[in-house]
Amino acid sequence: MSAHPHFDRTHTDDLAAFLSASPSQYHAVASAAERLEKAGFRQVSETDAWDGEAGGRYVLRGGAIIGWYVPVGARPETPFRIVGAHTDSTNLRVKPVPDTSSYGWRQLAVEIYGGALLNTWLDRDLGLSGRIVLRDGGTALVNLNRPLLRVPQLAVHLDRGVNEGGLKLDKQRHMQPVWGLGELDEGALVRIVAEEAGVDPAQVVGWDLMTHDVQPPAYLGLDGEFLAAGRLDNLLSVHAGTAALASAAAQPDLPYIPVLAAFDHEENGSESDTGAGGPLLGNVLERSVFARGGSYDHRARAFAGTICVSADTGHAVHPNYAEKHDPTHRPLPNGGPILKVNVNQRYATDGTGRGIFAAACDRAGVPWQTFVSNNAMPCGTTIGPITAARHGITTVDVGVPILSMHSARELCGVADPYLLASALKAFLED
Ligand code: ZN
C-alpha cells in the first residue's frame, strides 16, 4: 500500500505533535499520561495500596509508564494483552560537571547515550531537555526548545581525506557542543535550566538532561509520503500503543486486560529499575491480580494466558545499501508494520507469534511485512526477548520500518504509524 497524497494524516499529525512535546523520555511519559488521563485513566502510586475496581490506571516511574484498563467483570485470573515499547532515544547527555571551556569557547560536557549515529548530531541546532531534581526531592521537566548548542564539524580544508576515508569521530574529543564564548562559566547550565523551570538555581541538586534537534517533524517527499523526525525510534510505537490502549478502554466486554508498558533504557540494554529487565511490569501485573483478590495460582494462570506485542522500529530496505538486507525480506515504508523474526531470539517472535500478529492485522484490515536480518549482519534487539524471558510471557516483535535508525532525524512512511496503531488496537481489543 503506498501512501496516497490524500491519505488521512490525522494520526500522523498527532504523532508529530507527540514527538515535538516529547524531547526526552520524561516528557514522553508525561505526554502519554496526558492522553490516558483524557481517556479517563488516573495515576496510582506504587507506594499506595491498590483497589481491584474496574477502570483505567497508570504508574509513572522516571522515564517509564505502565498503563492498564481493568474491564467490568475482570476476574483475578483474567490474562493481559500488553503492548510493549521504549521511551528512550539515542542522543547526547549532560555530564555531572557540565561546564567546560577550551581556547575561548564555552562548552557543555556530554556523554553518548546508546548507539547514536554520531555524525548526525554534527552541525545541527540543538536544544536541551529532561528533568531537574530539586533540594526538596521534587522534580521539574525542562525543555529549552531553541537553538542553544552545536557540535561543529571540522572544515573539509582541515580534514582533507574525510570524503574518501570516512569521518572518524572520537566520542570524547569531538562530540562536545559549543554554546558560548569566554572563560569558564561555572554554573551556566544550572542557571539556564533553573531559569527555565522558574526555580532558584541553589535548589537544583541533580539533573538528567539531553540534547535534541530543534527542527520540528516534517512531511517529506514528492507526495509527502514520508515523515522526517527525531525519536521515531521509539516514540512512534509509544504513541501508537497509547492510542491503542485509550481506544481499548472505550470498548465494552473486553476478554483481556489491555496494558501499555513503555520502558526506559532500551538503548543501553534495559537493565535498570525503569527498564524492561527490571521488575516494574511484573510488579504491576501481579499487584493488579492480587488487588482483585487473586492468589499466586491466579497470577500464574493470568501470566500463562498473557501475550505481549513488543513494538519498536525496524529497518526498511535502504535503496543505496540493498546488499545489507536479506534478498527476500525487504520491507518498504507505507507497506504496513513488520513482523520481526530472528531464530536466535534477538527478536521473540516465533510461529505462534506470527499467527497472533497476522490475526490482529487481518481484523484491522492492515497489510504487514516481515523482517529478518541478512545472515552476515548482526541483528539488533528489543525489549521483546527480555520481557518473554523475565516474565514467561508469549511475546511477538513487530514495528514500523524506518531509514536512518539512531540518527538525530529518522524517516518513516506517513501511513505506517496509523497502520501500526490500528493493528495494536485490534490486538488489545480482540
Ligand atoms: Zn528502538
Side-chain angles (χ1 to χ4, degrees), residues 86 88 233-234 266-267 312-313 381-382 405-406:
H86 68 89
D88 58 318
D233 179 7
N234 187 24
E266 191 274 346
E267 297 294 0
D312 203 345
T313 51
T381 189
T382 68
M405 189 184 289
H406 291 189

Side-chain angles (χ1 to χ4, degrees), residues 10 91 96 156 158 199 210 217 222 255 282 288 292 315 329 360:
T10 309
N91 52 28
V156 70
L158 306 179
V199 301
M210 60 204 74
L222 273 175
S288 167
R292 286 191 301 286
H315 301 297
H329 299 82

